[in-house]
Amino acid sequence: MKKKEANTYKKITTHVLQEMKLKSEKIAMLTAYDFSMAGLLDMAGIDVILVGDSASNVMAGYTTTLPITLDQMIYHASSVMRAVKRALVVVDLPFGTYQGNSKEALNSAIRIMKESGANAIKMEGGREIIESVDRILSAGIPVMGHLGLTPQSIHKFGTYVVRATEETEAQNLIEDAHVLEESGCFGLVLEKIPANLATQVTGEIKIPTIGIGAGSGVDGQVLVLHDMLGITQKFSPRFLRRYHNLNEEIQGSVKAYIQDVKAMNFPNEREQY
Ligand code: KIV
Protein backbone atom coordinates (compact mmCIF):
# COMPACT_ATOMS: atom_id res chain seq x y z
CA MET A 1 0.00 0.00 0.00
CA LYS A 2 1.25 3.50 -0.88
CA LYS A 3 2.46 5.41 2.19
CA LYS A 4 0.14 8.36 2.98
CA GLU A 5 1.97 11.66 3.58
CA ALA A 6 1.36 13.47 6.88
CA ASN A 7 -1.66 15.76 6.83
CA THR A 8 -3.27 14.36 3.68
CA TYR A 9 -6.16 12.80 5.60
CA LYS A 10 -9.41 14.46 4.47
CA LYS A 11 -11.13 13.94 7.79
CA ILE A 12 -9.55 12.80 11.04
CA THR A 13 -11.43 9.97 12.71
CA THR A 14 -10.56 7.72 15.62
CA HIS A 15 -9.49 5.13 13.01
CA VAL A 16 -7.12 7.62 11.40
CA LEU A 17 -5.50 8.21 14.81
CA GLN A 18 -4.99 4.47 15.16
CA GLU A 19 -3.45 4.38 11.67
CA MET A 20 -1.17 7.29 12.59
CA LYS A 21 0.10 5.38 15.62
CA LEU A 22 0.78 2.32 13.49
CA LYS A 23 2.76 4.46 11.05
CA SER A 24 4.58 6.33 13.85
CA GLU A 25 3.07 9.58 12.57
CA LYS A 26 2.77 12.03 15.47
CA ILE A 27 -0.65 13.44 16.38
CA ALA A 28 -1.00 17.20 16.98
CA MET A 29 -3.80 18.23 19.32
CA LEU A 30 -4.72 21.65 20.76
CA THR A 31 -7.62 22.97 22.77
CA ALA A 32 -10.22 25.38 21.38
CA TYR A 33 -13.42 26.68 22.84
CA ASP A 34 -14.92 29.00 20.22
CA PHE A 35 -15.83 29.25 16.54
CA SER A 36 -13.10 31.68 15.41
CA MET A 37 -10.12 29.93 17.01
CA ALA A 38 -11.37 26.45 16.09
CA GLY A 39 -11.65 27.55 12.46
CA LEU A 40 -8.05 28.82 12.48
CA LEU A 41 -6.74 25.60 14.03
CA ASP A 42 -8.66 23.47 11.55
CA MET A 43 -7.42 25.48 8.56
CA ALA A 44 -3.85 25.18 9.86
CA GLY A 45 -4.22 21.38 9.80
CA ILE A 46 -4.49 20.41 13.46
CA ASP A 47 -5.41 16.72 13.85
CA VAL A 48 -7.48 16.85 17.04
CA ILE A 49 -9.27 19.73 18.76
CA LEU A 50 -10.01 19.24 22.44
CA VAL A 51 -12.85 21.29 23.85
CA GLY A 52 -11.20 20.99 27.23
CA ASP A 53 -12.69 21.80 30.59
CA SER A 54 -9.65 24.12 30.79
CA ALA A 55 -12.28 26.51 29.36
CA SER A 56 -13.12 26.91 33.04
CA ASN A 57 -9.67 28.53 33.50
CA VAL A 58 -8.90 30.33 30.26
CA MET A 59 -12.41 31.34 29.15
CA ALA A 60 -14.24 31.79 32.46
CA GLY A 61 -11.37 32.78 34.78
CA TYR A 62 -11.83 30.13 37.46
CA THR A 63 -8.71 28.79 39.22
CA THR A 64 -9.71 25.14 38.68
CA THR A 65 -11.62 23.13 36.06
CA LEU A 66 -14.27 22.10 38.57
CA PRO A 67 -16.91 24.83 38.18
CA ILE A 68 -17.63 24.47 34.45
CA THR A 69 -21.05 22.93 33.74
CA LEU A 70 -22.32 20.48 31.14
CA ASP A 71 -24.41 23.24 29.50
CA GLN A 72 -21.34 25.47 29.27
CA MET A 73 -19.25 22.66 27.74
CA ILE A 74 -22.01 22.03 25.19
CA TYR A 75 -22.06 25.75 24.31
CA HIS A 76 -18.28 25.75 23.71
CA ALA A 77 -18.37 22.44 21.83
CA SER A 78 -21.19 23.48 19.49
CA SER A 79 -19.37 26.76 18.70
CA VAL A 80 -16.26 24.74 17.81
CA MET A 81 -18.24 22.23 15.73
CA ARG A 82 -19.70 24.99 13.54
CA ALA A 83 -16.14 25.86 12.42
CA VAL A 84 -14.44 22.49 12.05
CA LYS A 85 -14.33 20.53 8.81
CA ARG A 86 -11.34 18.20 9.20
CA ALA A 87 -10.13 17.78 12.78
CA LEU A 88 -11.52 15.22 15.21
CA VAL A 89 -13.32 17.12 17.99
CA VAL A 90 -13.13 15.65 21.49
CA VAL A 91 -15.07 17.19 24.38
CA ASP A 92 -14.30 16.88 28.10
CA LEU A 93 -17.05 15.52 30.32
CA PRO A 94 -16.98 18.12 33.10
CA PHE A 95 -16.49 17.38 36.78
CA GLY A 96 -19.57 15.95 38.50
CA THR A 97 -21.29 14.69 35.36
CA TYR A 98 -19.92 11.13 35.26
CA GLN A 99 -18.18 10.11 38.49
CA GLY A 100 -21.38 9.46 40.48
CA ASN A 101 -23.07 6.77 38.45
CA SER A 102 -22.80 5.30 35.00
CA LYS A 103 -26.39 6.18 33.95
CA GLU A 104 -25.73 9.83 34.64
CA ALA A 105 -22.40 9.51 32.81
CA LEU A 106 -24.15 8.11 29.74
CA ASN A 107 -26.78 10.87 29.82
CA SER A 108 -24.03 13.51 30.01
CA ALA A 109 -22.13 11.96 27.10
CA ILE A 110 -25.31 11.66 25.02
CA ARG A 111 -26.16 15.31 25.65
CA ILE A 112 -22.70 16.39 24.44
CA MET A 113 -22.89 14.25 21.29
CA LYS A 114 -26.51 15.20 20.44
CA GLU A 115 -26.44 18.90 21.30
CA SER A 116 -22.96 19.81 20.02
CA GLY A 117 -22.41 17.28 17.24
CA ALA A 118 -18.92 16.49 18.62
CA ASN A 119 -17.05 13.32 17.60
CA ALA A 120 -15.93 11.94 20.98
CA ILE A 121 -15.70 12.62 24.69
CA LYS A 122 -12.82 12.54 27.18
CA MET A 123 -12.97 11.43 30.82
CA GLU A 124 -10.43 11.65 33.63
CA GLY A 125 -9.61 8.53 35.64
CA GLY A 126 -8.95 4.80 35.41
CA ARG A 127 -10.57 1.79 37.05
CA GLU A 128 -12.64 3.97 39.40
CA ILE A 129 -14.73 5.25 36.44
CA ILE A 130 -14.62 2.12 34.27
CA GLU A 131 -18.34 1.33 34.67
CA SER A 132 -19.15 4.75 33.21
CA VAL A 133 -16.57 4.33 30.44
CA ASP A 134 -18.05 0.94 29.49
CA ARG A 135 -21.61 2.22 29.45
CA ILE A 136 -20.72 5.21 27.26
CA LEU A 137 -18.72 3.04 24.88
CA SER A 138 -21.57 0.55 24.60
CA ALA A 139 -23.78 3.38 23.39
CA GLY A 140 -21.38 3.86 20.48
CA ILE A 141 -19.72 7.00 21.80
CA PRO A 142 -15.93 7.10 21.36
CA VAL A 143 -14.09 7.71 24.63
CA MET A 144 -10.61 9.11 25.24
CA GLY A 145 -9.06 8.40 28.65
CA HIS A 146 -6.94 10.78 30.72
CA LEU A 147 -4.41 9.62 33.34
CA GLY A 148 -1.60 11.12 35.39
CA LEU A 149 -2.32 14.64 36.56
CA THR A 150 -6.09 14.78 36.26
CA PRO A 151 -7.04 18.38 37.11
CA GLN A 152 -10.60 17.49 38.17
CA SER A 153 -8.98 15.71 41.17
CA ILE A 154 -6.82 18.65 42.17
CA HIS A 155 -8.35 18.81 45.65
CA LYS A 156 -7.37 15.17 46.22
CA PHE A 157 -3.81 15.75 44.92
CA GLY A 158 -3.48 19.11 46.68
CA THR A 159 -0.87 20.25 44.14
CA TYR A 160 -0.16 20.33 40.38
CA VAL A 161 3.24 18.59 40.70
CA VAL A 162 4.35 15.71 38.45
CA ARG A 163 2.36 12.51 39.12
CA ALA A 164 3.42 8.85 39.25
CA THR A 165 7.04 9.45 40.23
CA GLU A 166 6.62 6.74 42.91
CA GLU A 167 6.56 3.05 41.91
CA THR A 168 3.06 2.30 43.29
CA GLU A 169 1.39 5.20 41.48
CA ALA A 170 3.32 4.39 38.30
CA GLN A 171 2.18 0.73 38.44
CA ASN A 172 -1.42 1.85 39.02
CA LEU A 173 -1.22 4.15 36.03
CA ILE A 174 0.10 1.35 33.80
CA GLU A 175 -2.72 -0.95 34.92
CA ASP A 176 -5.30 1.80 34.36
CA ALA A 177 -3.94 2.38 30.86
CA HIS A 178 -4.39 -1.33 30.03
CA VAL A 179 -7.90 -1.38 31.48
CA LEU A 180 -8.94 1.69 29.45
CA GLU A 181 -7.47 0.15 26.30
CA GLU A 182 -9.26 -3.17 26.92
CA SER A 183 -12.56 -1.38 27.53
CA GLY A 184 -12.33 0.12 24.03
CA CYS A 185 -11.07 3.69 24.54
CA PHE A 186 -9.62 5.04 21.28
CA GLY A 187 -6.87 7.12 22.88
CA LEU A 188 -5.33 8.23 26.12
CA VAL A 189 -4.09 11.59 27.40
CA LEU A 190 -1.09 11.31 29.74
CA GLU A 191 -0.60 14.50 31.73
CA LYS A 192 2.51 15.54 33.66
CA ILE A 193 4.17 12.20 34.32
CA PRO A 194 7.82 11.15 33.92
CA ALA A 195 8.84 10.80 30.27
CA ASN A 196 10.12 7.22 30.70
CA LEU A 197 6.79 6.10 32.20
CA ALA A 198 4.85 7.72 29.32
CA THR A 199 7.16 6.01 26.82
CA GLN A 200 6.62 2.65 28.55
CA VAL A 201 2.81 3.03 28.48
CA THR A 202 2.94 4.09 24.81
CA GLY A 203 4.91 0.95 23.97
CA GLU A 204 2.61 -1.35 25.93
CA ILE A 205 -0.77 -0.25 24.60
CA LYS A 206 -2.02 -0.21 21.00
CA ILE A 207 -4.17 2.92 21.24
CA PRO A 208 -2.53 6.34 20.71
CA THR A 209 -1.21 8.24 23.72
CA ILE A 210 -1.27 12.04 23.72
CA GLY A 211 1.09 13.72 26.15
CA ILE A 212 1.12 17.03 27.96
CA GLY A 213 4.22 17.28 30.08
CA ALA A 214 4.89 13.60 29.36
CA GLY A 215 7.97 13.83 27.13
CA SER A 216 8.51 12.90 23.50
CA GLY A 217 7.98 9.14 23.64
CA VAL A 218 4.20 9.44 23.27
CA ASP A 219 2.16 9.25 20.04
CA GLY A 220 1.10 12.90 20.07
CA GLN A 221 1.12 16.15 21.99
CA VAL A 222 -1.55 18.47 23.35
CA LEU A 223 -1.28 22.00 24.74
CA VAL A 224 -3.83 24.52 25.93
CA LEU A 225 -4.17 27.05 23.08
CA HIS A 226 -4.10 30.15 25.30
CA ASP A 227 -0.87 28.95 26.92
CA MET A 228 1.00 28.12 23.70
CA LEU A 229 -0.08 31.40 22.08
CA GLY A 230 1.14 33.37 25.09
CA ILE A 231 -2.26 34.82 25.98
CA THR A 232 -1.95 33.46 29.52
CA GLN A 233 1.21 34.72 31.22
CA LYS A 234 1.31 33.42 34.78
CA PHE A 235 1.10 29.71 33.94
CA SER A 236 4.65 28.66 33.05
CA PRO A 237 5.33 24.96 33.62
CA ARG A 238 8.52 23.45 32.18
CA PHE A 239 6.61 21.52 29.51
CA LEU A 240 4.99 24.61 28.02
CA ARG A 241 6.52 25.97 24.82
CA ARG A 242 5.16 29.42 23.94
CA TYR A 243 4.93 29.84 20.17
CA HIS A 244 3.83 33.46 20.33
CA ASN A 245 3.40 36.37 22.71
CA LEU A 246 -0.19 37.28 21.90
CA ASN A 247 -0.57 38.95 25.28
CA GLU A 248 1.93 41.63 24.26
CA GLU A 249 0.57 41.87 20.71
CA ILE A 250 -3.05 42.28 21.82
CA GLN A 251 -2.14 44.82 24.52
CA GLY A 252 -0.09 46.75 21.95
CA SER A 253 -2.97 46.83 19.46
CA VAL A 254 -5.51 47.86 22.09
CA LYS A 255 -3.22 50.64 23.36
CA ALA A 256 -2.70 51.91 19.80
CA TYR A 257 -6.48 51.92 19.25
CA ILE A 258 -7.09 53.84 22.50
CA GLN A 259 -4.47 56.41 21.49
CA ASP A 260 -6.01 56.83 18.04
CA VAL A 261 -9.51 57.30 19.46
CA LYS A 262 -8.35 59.82 22.07
CA ALA A 263 -6.25 61.73 19.52
CA MET A 264 -9.11 61.67 16.97
CA ASN A 265 -6.92 59.71 14.53
CA PHE A 266 -9.63 57.08 14.16
CA PRO A 267 -11.72 57.03 12.08
CA ASN A 268 -10.06 58.97 9.27
CA GLU A 269 -11.65 60.30 6.04
CA ARG A 270 -11.51 56.90 4.30
CA GLU A 271 -13.01 55.08 7.27
CA GLN A 272 -16.33 56.91 7.26
CA TYR A 273 -19.41 57.25 5.00
O1 KIV B 1 -8.93 20.50 29.65
C1 KIV B 1 -7.87 20.41 29.02
O2 KIV B 1 -7.40 21.36 28.37
C2 KIV B 1 -7.15 19.15 29.07
C3 KIV B 1 -5.77 19.11 28.51
C4 KIV B 1 -4.83 19.77 29.42
C5 KIV B 1 -5.35 17.74 28.17
O3 KIV B 1 -7.65 18.19 29.57
Side-chain angles (χ1 to χ4, degrees):
M1 206 172 82
K2 198 166 164 263
K3 193 173 184 288
K4 211 177 249 176
E5 294 301 321
N7 263 339
T8 58
Y9 304 105
K10 277 213 171 76
K11 173 79 189 129
I12 305 293
T13 62
T14 57
H15 299 278
V16 168
L17 297 186
Q18 186 65 62
E19 196 181 320
M20 288 170 83
K21 173 159 181 144
L22 283 173
K23 293 196 296 190
S24 302
E25 187 183 327
K26 296 287 182 186
I27 298 162
M29 170 162 152
L30 281 172
T31 65
Y33 320 95
D34 64 42
F35 176 84
S36 305
M37 285 294 188
L40 289 173
L41 266 53
D42 198 46
M43 276 188 270
I46 199 77
D47 297 314
V48 185
I49 291 180
L50 172 65
V51 184
D53 57 1
S54 48
S56 180
N57 308 109
V58 298
M59 300 301 286
Y62 290 110
T63 53
T64 73
T65 57
L66 275 65
I68 201 159
T69 65
L70 188 58
D71 284 335
Q72 288 163 343
M73 287 303 294
I74 290 169
Y75 165 78
H76 287 297
S78 53
S79 307
V80 165
M81 286 309 294
R82 283 190 284 276
V84 172
K85 293 189 168 65
R86 176 182 174 275
L88 180 85
V89 178
V90 182
V91 183
D92 265 333
L93 275 191
F95 176 69
T97 66
Y98 62 98
Q99 294 92 345
N101 72 64
S102 60
K103 262 194 192 161
E104 192 189 345
L106 177 59
N107 286 338
S108 307
I110 286 178
R111 277 203 60 202
I112 287 185
M113 300 299 282
K114 250 188 189 305
E115 295 177 39
S116 75
N119 308 126
I121 57 108
K122 176 166 83 59
M123 300 163 77
E124 294 183 9
R127 280 157 290 179
E128 71 280 12
I129 58 153
I130 206 64
E131 196 184 308
S132 297
V133 172
D134 284 339
R135 197 160 195 149
I136 293 171
L137 282 165
S138 63
I141 299 172
V143 176
M144 176 172 252
H146 184 157
L147 297 173
L149 178 66
T150 45
Q152 290 178 13
S153 304
I154 187 57
H155 295 303
K156 183 178 87 182
F157 297 145
T159 157
Y160 286 99
V161 295
V162 185
R163 302 307 311 176
T165 51
E166 304 288 335
E167 185 58 23
T168 319
E169 194 177 333
Q171 280 310 322
N172 268 328
L173 188 144
I174 293 168
E175 269 180 56
D176 279 340
H178 282 285
V179 168
L180 289 170
E181 175 186 31
E182 278 153 27
S183 75
C185 286
F186 71 88
L188 182 58
V189 167
L190 295 173
E191 180 163 355
K192 220 170 176 186
I193 61 170
N196 56 3
L197 175 61
T199 306
Q200 183 185 342
V201 171
T202 302
E204 285 189 19
I205 63 176
K206 292 194 174 60
I207 56 172
T209 57
I210 311 288
I212 173 163
S216 59
V218 285
D219 299 308
Q221 299 290 335
V222 59
L223 285 175
V224 169
L225 184 67
H226 290 59
D227 297 335
M228 63 83 78
L229 290 180
I231 297 174
T232 52
Q233 293 285 291
K234 286 188 187 135
F235 183 65
S236 248
R238 187 204 296 199
F239 67 76
L240 174 61
R241 185 178 296 181
R242 287 192 206 286
Y243 285 82
H244 207 58
N245 192 346
L246 261 194
N247 186 297
E248 217 173 87
E249 298 243 344
I250 293 173
Q251 295 244 17
S253 304
V254 173
K255 280 180 186 158
Y257 167 74
I258 294 169
Q259 257 182 7
D260 284 350
V261 171
K262 305 273 178 191
M264 294 198 295
N265 278 337
F266 175 78
N268 64 24
E269 287 284 304
R270 280 169 286 111
E271 290 163 332
Q272 56 191 318
Y273 300 99

Short mmCIF file of all heavy atoms in Angstrom, two decimals, residues 138-173:
data_model
loop_
_atom_site.label_atom_id
_atom_site.label_comp_id
_atom_site.label_asym_id
_atom_site.label_seq_id
_atom_site.Cartn_x
_atom_site.Cartn_y
_atom_site.Cartn_z
N SER A 138 -20.57 1.48 25.14
CA SER A 138 -21.57 0.55 24.60
C SER A 138 -22.71 1.29 23.91
O SER A 138 -23.48 0.69 23.16
CB SER A 138 -22.07 -0.42 25.66
OG SER A 138 -22.72 0.31 26.66
N ALA A 139 -22.78 2.59 24.13
CA ALA A 139 -23.78 3.38 23.39
C ALA A 139 -23.21 3.88 22.07
O ALA A 139 -23.85 4.65 21.35
CB ALA A 139 -24.23 4.56 24.25
N GLY A 140 -21.98 3.47 21.76
CA GLY A 140 -21.38 3.86 20.48
C GLY A 140 -20.69 5.20 20.51
O GLY A 140 -20.41 5.79 19.46
N ILE A 141 -20.39 5.69 21.69
CA ILE A 141 -19.72 7.00 21.80
C ILE A 141 -18.23 6.77 22.05
O ILE A 141 -17.86 6.13 23.04
CB ILE A 141 -20.33 7.83 22.96
CG1 ILE A 141 -21.82 8.08 22.69
CG2 ILE A 141 -19.57 9.14 23.15
CD1 ILE A 141 -22.57 8.71 23.85
N PRO A 142 -17.37 7.29 21.16
CA PRO A 142 -15.93 7.10 21.36
C PRO A 142 -15.43 7.84 22.61
O PRO A 142 -15.81 8.99 22.85
CB PRO A 142 -15.29 7.70 20.10
CG PRO A 142 -16.40 7.79 19.10
CD PRO A 142 -17.65 8.00 19.89
N VAL A 143 -14.59 7.14 23.38
CA VAL A 143 -14.09 7.71 24.63
C VAL A 143 -12.56 7.78 24.61
O VAL A 143 -11.88 6.82 24.26
CB VAL A 143 -14.53 6.86 25.85
CG1 VAL A 143 -13.91 7.39 27.15
CG2 VAL A 143 -16.04 6.82 25.97
N MET A 144 -12.05 8.95 25.03
CA MET A 144 -10.61 9.11 25.24
C MET A 144 -10.38 9.14 26.75
O MET A 144 -11.11 9.84 27.48
CB MET A 144 -10.16 10.42 24.59
CG MET A 144 -8.71 10.77 24.79
SD MET A 144 -8.24 12.21 23.79
CE MET A 144 -7.22 11.41 22.55
N GLY A 145 -9.38 8.39 27.22
CA GLY A 145 -9.06 8.40 28.65
C GLY A 145 -8.08 9.52 28.98
O GLY A 145 -7.55 10.19 28.09
N HIS A 146 -7.86 9.72 30.26
CA HIS A 146 -6.94 10.78 30.72
C HIS A 146 -6.38 10.35 32.07
O HIS A 146 -7.13 10.23 33.05
CB HIS A 146 -7.72 12.10 30.83
CG HIS A 146 -6.89 13.30 31.19
ND1 HIS A 146 -7.29 14.59 30.89
CD2 HIS A 146 -5.70 13.43 31.83
CE1 HIS A 146 -6.38 15.46 31.34
NE2 HIS A 146 -5.41 14.77 31.92
N LEU A 147 -5.06 10.08 32.11
CA LEU A 147 -4.41 9.62 33.34
C LEU A 147 -3.23 10.51 33.70
O LEU A 147 -2.78 11.32 32.90
CB LEU A 147 -3.91 8.18 33.15
CG LEU A 147 -4.96 7.09 32.88
CD1 LEU A 147 -4.27 5.76 32.53
CD2 LEU A 147 -5.87 6.90 34.09
N GLY A 148 -2.72 10.30 34.92
CA GLY A 148 -1.60 11.12 35.39
C GLY A 148 -2.15 12.26 36.21
O GLY A 148 -2.95 12.05 37.13
N LEU A 149 -1.73 13.49 35.88
CA LEU A 149 -2.32 14.64 36.56
C LEU A 149 -3.70 14.88 35.95
O LEU A 149 -3.82 15.27 34.79
CB LEU A 149 -1.44 15.88 36.39
CG LEU A 149 -2.02 17.14 37.03
CD1 LEU A 149 -2.07 17.01 38.55
CD2 LEU A 149 -1.23 18.37 36.66
N THR A 150 -4.71 14.59 36.73
CA THR A 150 -6.09 14.78 36.26
C THR A 150 -6.65 15.97 37.03
O THR A 150 -7.00 15.85 38.22
CB THR A 150 -6.91 13.50 36.51
OG1 THR A 150 -6.64 13.02 37.84
CG2 THR A 150 -6.54 12.41 35.52
N PRO A 151 -6.73 17.14 36.38
CA PRO A 151 -7.04 18.38 37.11
C PRO A 151 -8.38 18.39 37.85
O PRO A 151 -8.55 19.15 38.80
CB PRO A 151 -7.01 19.45 36.01
CG PRO A 151 -6.14 18.87 34.95
CD PRO A 151 -6.39 17.40 34.97
N GLN A 152 -9.32 17.52 37.43
CA GLN A 152 -10.60 17.49 38.17
C GLN A 152 -10.41 16.92 39.59
O GLN A 152 -11.28 17.06 40.43
CB GLN A 152 -11.64 16.65 37.40
CG GLN A 152 -12.11 17.34 36.12
CD GLN A 152 -13.10 16.51 35.32
OE1 GLN A 152 -13.65 15.50 35.81
NE2 GLN A 152 -13.36 16.92 34.09
N SER A 153 -9.25 16.27 39.83
CA SER A 153 -8.98 15.71 41.17
C SER A 153 -7.98 16.57 41.94
O SER A 153 -7.34 16.08 42.88
CB SER A 153 -8.41 14.30 41.05
OG SER A 153 -9.26 13.48 40.32
N ILE A 154 -7.85 17.82 41.57
CA ILE A 154 -6.82 18.65 42.17
C ILE A 154 -6.96 18.75 43.70
O ILE A 154 -5.96 18.80 44.42
CB ILE A 154 -6.77 20.07 41.53
CG1 ILE A 154 -5.57 20.86 42.05
CG2 ILE A 154 -8.06 20.84 41.70
CD1 ILE A 154 -4.23 20.21 41.84
N HIS A 155 -8.19 18.70 44.19
CA HIS A 155 -8.35 18.81 45.65
C HIS A 155 -7.90 17.54 46.36
O HIS A 155 -7.53 17.58 47.53
CB HIS A 155 -9.79 19.19 46.01
CG HIS A 155 -10.15 20.56 45.50
ND1 HIS A 155 -9.44 21.69 45.84
CD2 HIS A 155 -11.12 20.96 44.65
CE1 HIS A 155 -9.96 22.74 45.23
NE2 HIS A 155 -10.97 22.33 44.49
N LYS A 156 -7.91 16.42 45.65
CA LYS A 156 -7.37 15.17 46.22
C LYS A 156 -5.84 15.22 46.19
O LYS A 156 -5.17 14.92 47.17
CB LYS A 156 -7.88 13.96 45.42
CG LYS A 156 -7.43 12.63 45.99
CD LYS A 156 -7.99 11.46 45.20
CE LYS A 156 -7.08 11.12 44.04
NZ LYS A 156 -7.61 10.02 43.21
N PHE A 157 -5.27 15.67 45.06
CA PHE A 157 -3.81 15.75 44.92
C PHE A 157 -3.23 16.85 45.81
O PHE A 157 -2.14 16.72 46.35
CB PHE A 157 -3.39 16.03 43.47
CG PHE A 157 -3.78 14.98 42.48
CD1 PHE A 157 -4.14 15.31 41.18
CD2 PHE A 157 -3.75 13.63 42.81
CE1 PHE A 157 -4.48 14.34 40.26
CE2 PHE A 157 -4.09 12.65 41.88
CZ PHE A 157 -4.46 13.01 40.60
N GLY A 158 -3.94 17.97 45.87
CA GLY A 158 -3.48 19.11 46.68
C GLY A 158 -2.44 19.97 45.98
O GLY A 158 -2.06 21.03 46.47
N THR A 159 -1.93 19.53 44.83
CA THR A 159 -0.87 20.25 44.14
C THR A 159 -0.81 19.79 42.67
O THR A 159 -1.25 18.68 42.35
CB THR A 159 0.51 19.97 44.80
OG1 THR A 159 1.54 20.22 43.85
CG2 THR A 159 0.65 18.54 45.28
N TYR A 160 -0.26 20.66 41.81
CA TYR A 160 -0.16 20.33 40.38
C TYR A 160 1.21 19.73 40.03
O TYR A 160 1.64 19.80 38.89
CB TYR A 160 -0.42 21.58 39.53
CG TYR A 160 -1.88 22.00 39.47
CD1 TYR A 160 -2.37 23.02 40.27
CD2 TYR A 160 -2.76 21.38 38.60
CE1 TYR A 160 -3.71 23.41 40.22
CE2 TYR A 160 -4.10 21.75 38.53
CZ TYR A 160 -4.56 22.77 39.34
OH TYR A 160 -5.88 23.14 39.28
N VAL A 161 1.91 19.15 41.00
CA VAL A 161 3.24 18.59 40.70
C VAL A 161 3.14 17.32 39.84
O VAL A 161 2.06 16.74 39.71
CB VAL A 161 4.08 18.24 41.97
CG1 VAL A 161 4.43 19.49 42.75
CG2 VAL A 161 3.39 17.19 42.81
N VAL A 162 4.29 16.90 39.30
CA VAL A 162 4.35 15.71 38.45
C VAL A 162 3.78 14.49 39.19
O VAL A 162 4.10 14.28 40.36
CB VAL A 162 5.83 15.41 38.08
CG1 VAL A 162 5.92 14.25 37.09
CG2 VAL A 162 6.49 16.65 37.51
N ARG A 163 2.96 13.70 38.50
CA ARG A 163 2.36 12.51 39.12
C ARG A 163 3.18 11.26 38.77
O ARG A 163 3.98 11.26 37.83
CB ARG A 163 0.92 12.28 38.59
CG ARG A 163 -0.06 13.41 38.80
CD ARG A 163 -0.16 13.89 40.21
NE ARG A 163 -0.35 12.83 41.19
CZ ARG A 163 -0.38 13.03 42.50
NH1 ARG A 163 -0.22 14.24 43.00
NH2 ARG A 163 -0.57 12.01 43.31
N ALA A 164 2.89 10.20 39.53
CA ALA A 164 3.42 8.85 39.25
C ALA A 164 4.95 8.78 39.24
O ALA A 164 5.54 8.03 38.46
CB ALA A 164 2.85 8.31 37.94
N THR A 165 5.58 9.55 40.10
CA THR A 165 7.04 9.45 40.23
C THR A 165 7.38 8.28 41.15
O THR A 165 8.48 7.74 41.11
CB THR A 165 7.63 10.75 40.81
OG1 THR A 165 6.90 11.08 41.98
CG2 THR A 165 7.55 11.90 39.82
N GLU A 166 6.42 7.89 42.01
CA GLU A 166 6.62 6.74 42.91
C GLU A 166 6.15 5.47 42.21
O GLU A 166 5.20 5.50 41.43
CB GLU A 166 5.81 6.90 44.21
CG GLU A 166 6.08 8.19 44.98
CD GLU A 166 7.44 8.18 45.65
OE1 GLU A 166 7.93 7.07 45.92
OE2 GLU A 166 7.98 9.28 45.89
N GLU A 167 6.81 4.34 42.56
CA GLU A 167 6.56 3.05 41.91
C GLU A 167 5.07 2.63 41.96
O GLU A 167 4.50 2.20 40.96
CB GLU A 167 7.46 1.99 42.56
CG GLU A 167 7.42 0.62 41.94
CD GLU A 167 7.79 0.59 40.45
OE1 GLU A 167 8.48 1.52 39.98
OE2 GLU A 167 7.34 -0.35 39.77
N THR A 168 4.45 2.78 43.15
CA THR A 168 3.06 2.30 43.29
C THR A 168 2.13 3.07 42.36
O THR A 168 1.29 2.47 41.67
CB THR A 168 2.57 2.49 44.75
OG1 THR A 168 3.65 2.11 45.62
CG2 THR A 168 1.35 1.71 45.05
N GLU A 169 2.28 4.39 42.34
CA GLU A 169 1.39 5.20 41.48
C GLU A 169 1.68 4.91 40.01
O GLU A 169 0.75 4.87 39.19
CB GLU A 169 1.57 6.69 41.81
CG GLU A 169 0.46 7.54 41.21
CD GLU A 169 0.55 9.03 41.55
OE1 GLU A 169 1.12 9.38 42.60
OE2 GLU A 169 0.06 9.83 40.75
N ALA A 170 2.96 4.68 39.69
CA ALA A 170 3.32 4.39 38.30
C ALA A 170 2.70 3.06 37.87
O ALA A 170 2.13 2.94 36.78
CB ALA A 170 4.84 4.33 38.15
N GLN A 171 2.76 2.04 38.75
CA GLN A 171 2.18 0.73 38.44
C GLN A 171 0.67 0.84 38.26
O GLN A 171 0.08 0.23 37.36
CB GLN A 171 2.50 -0.29 39.54
CG GLN A 171 3.90 -0.89 39.45
CD GLN A 171 4.23 -1.43 38.05
OE1 GLN A 171 3.39 -2.01 37.37
NE2 GLN A 171 5.47 -1.21 37.61
N ASN A 172 0.03 1.63 39.12
CA ASN A 172 -1.42 1.85 39.02
C ASN A 172 -1.78 2.48 37.69
O ASN A 172 -2.76 2.12 37.06
CB ASN A 172 -1.89 2.77 40.15
CG ASN A 172 -2.32 1.98 41.35
OD1 ASN A 172 -2.81 0.85 41.22
ND2 ASN A 172 -2.12 2.54 42.53
N LEU A 173 -0.95 3.45 37.29
CA LEU A 173 -1.22 4.15 36.03
C LEU A 173 -1.10 3.18 34.85
O LEU A 173 -1.93 3.18 33.94
CB LEU A 173 -0.25 5.33 35.88
CG LEU A 173 -0.52 6.27 34.70
CD1 LEU A 173 -0.19 7.71 35.08
CD2 LEU A 173 0.23 5.87 33.45
#
